[in-house]
Amino acid sequence: MEEEGLRRSLLKVGQHAQVGTLVTDRHVGINKMVREEHPLITHLFDIWHVAKSIKKKLQTLSKRRGCQELKPWVRSIINHLYWAVISTPAGSGDVIVAKWKSVLEHIHNRHGGFGGLFPACTHGPLEGREARKPWLTFHTKVSVEVEKILMRKTLLNDLRRLSPAYQTSYLEAFHSLILHFAPKMYHFSYQGMKCRVTLAALHFNENAHRVQARKSDGTSMFSVHFPKYKHGGHIVRKVLEKPTFEYVMELMAIVQRVCSGEDYAGDVLEVAGDEAPIPQPLSASCNRPNKEEAIRKHVCRFTANM
């Protein structure tokens, strides 16, 4: 579904603009589709999805016997991933990999003499919590297992394609907003879903750059949340100004001009009508079995197990 959605989106966007760079997660099907059908597009990966995968593996490892000393390093390793990518100019994938490999040396209390494109750590003398962390020892169980996770060949290849400038966070926020206009618990027709997604896009574009709200004394407003993934920990978020709905009034004005017979050319990009074809559902490409035969096999299979 994701692959077909991206294929249709690129076709639609390609009618109005040329796509030069595309940032997605590491979906295997999407990776293959872009490589084969859109070879001129630079396909990069989002940092958050890679960091989430690495963090999950490290946290699982830190719970195993003999590997508990890894736990204080998990957050630092993930922070190092973000730094390695964001601090590197675009197109320098080998430098990203070199910076990433240095974290394995760092957690073993080795901070220089790496060789290659990143020969030494750039931090100064360690103080406070960083200085008190338990250093790992080479060739121990936890050291060997951490190296397997951090130096996996497929991971190193993907690091070269991480996007230093653009991420998918805005897209994730937009997908969350769509649920307010088109809840998953309800079924909508193709045209109905298209209209609801369009309304969500109008709302998102109008409110995507809201500024932080302020109190009466002029100080910035924040809120404290306790998300599940923090396991009892908290995060602090900025409180933004309330959203606006000016696009609704603009839509109503266009509808009034259409109903009154006035010229509305230029107000809309396209007009939905009989000439706009509705694509076949994804299930149309599947071979549909004979219903009676499918029921007979289903009943016989369960009867044989009784």
Side-chain angles (χ1 to χ4, degrees):
M1 183 179 296
E2 292 87 352
E3 181 180 343
E4 181 62 25
L6 177 60
R7 181 180 286 109
R8 296 180 184 181
S9 298
L10 290 175
L11 180 63
K12 185 72 173 180
V13 174
Q15 298 174 359
H16 305 281
Q18 182 177 357
V19 179
T21 302
L22 175 68
V23 181
T24 69
D25 60 8
R26 296 186 293 173
H27 191 286
V28 177
I30 288 179
N31 191 20
K32 179 181 178 182
M33 186 270 289
V34 175
R35 183 177 65 252
E36 295 179 352
E37 301 181 14
H38 302 275
L40 299 181
I41 293 179
T42 301
H43 186 198
L44 302 178
F45 297 141
D46 173 72
I47 303 177
W48 181 83
H49 289 89
V50 177
K52 180 182 178 182
S53 175
I54 297 174
K55 183 178 181 180
K56 184 177 180 180
K57 294 176 181 178
L58 293 176
Q59 288 178 333
T60 302
L61 176 61
S62 67
K63 297 177 183 178
R64 291 170 53 182
R65 178 180 298 180
C67 300
Q68 290 86 351
E69 56 187 316
L70 173 64
K71 187 175 181 180
W73 288 106
V74 174
R75 179 183 296 182
S76 298
I77 293 174
I78 299 304
N79 290 341
H80 181 83
L81 173 64
Y82 279 91
W83 172 83
V85 178
I86 296 175
S87 65
T88 305
S92 304
D94 291 337
V95 178
I96 294 177
V97 173
K99 290 181 177 180
W100 171 247
K101 289 182 177 180
S102 70
V103 74
L104 186 63
E105 305 289 344
H106 176 86
I107 62 179
H108 289 86
N109 199 20
R110 186 167 177 258
H111 309 285
F114 311 148
L117 299 175
F118 191 71
C121 295
T122 58
H123 60 75
L126 299 177
E127 300 177 352
R129 184 182 64 180
E130 296 299 322
R132 294 192 298 269
K133 286 182 180 178
W135 301 107
L136 303 188
T137 304
F138 282 109
H139 309 302
T140 58
K141 177 182 177 180
V142 62
S143 176
V144 173
E145 295 299 325
V146 168
E147 184 175 1
K148 289 180 181 179
I149 296 175
L150 303 185
M151 300 297 126
R152 194 159 46 92
K153 184 177 180 180
T154 53
L155 174 61
L156 297 181
N157 290 335
D158 291 342
L159 291 181
R160 293 181 170 87
R161 298 173 58 185
L162 291 183
S163 173
Y166 302 103
Q167 310 302 323
T168 62
S169 55
Y170 268 105
L171 181 61
E172 302 286 351
F174 176 60
H175 285 169
S176 178
L177 177 66
I178 290 178
L179 298 179
H180 292 275
F181 290 83
K184 290 184 177 180
M185 66 183 70
Y186 300 112
H187 174 268
F188 301 101
S189 66
Y190 174 81
Q191 291 290 5
M193 189 68 185
K194 184 177 180 180
C195 292
R196 288 172 178 271
V197 172
T198 302
L199 286 173
L202 291 172
H203 182 87
F204 183 83
N205 290 340
E206 182 174 318
N207 295 279
H209 302 287
R210 285 180 291 158
V211 298
Q212 187 174 3
R214 293 184 177 276
K215 300 179 182 178
S216 57
D217 59 359
T219 58
S220 300
M221 296 181 63
F222 295 89
S223 60
V224 179
H225 299 265
F226 298 86
K228 182 179 179 181
Y229 71 89
K230 280 291 185 177
H231 304 288
H234 69 276
I235 60 174
V236 177
R237 292 177 179 171
K238 296 179 180 179
V239 176
L240 304 180
E241 291 184 345
K242 293 184 178 180
T244 59
F245 302 88
E246 295 182 3
Y247 66 94
V248 176
M249 303 306 298
E250 295 182 20
L251 286 175
M252 293 179 64
I254 294 175
V255 172
Q256 287 182 332
R257 288 198 293 272
V258 172
C259 295
S260 62
E262 297 181 20
D263 181 21
Y264 58 90
D267 290 333
V268 292
L269 292 177
E270 59 183 28
V271 179
D274 297 335
E275 70 279 3
I278 298 177
Q280 292 285 340
L282 297 181
S283 59
S285 60
C286 302
N287 295 325
R288 190 175 184 85
N290 179 273
K291 184 176 180 179
E292 288 74 15
E293 180 66 16
I295 294 175
R296 186 186 66 79
K297 291 182 178 180
H298 176 79
V299 173
C300 293
R301 178 164 58 91
F302 279 92
T303 303
N305 296 330
M306 293 180 62

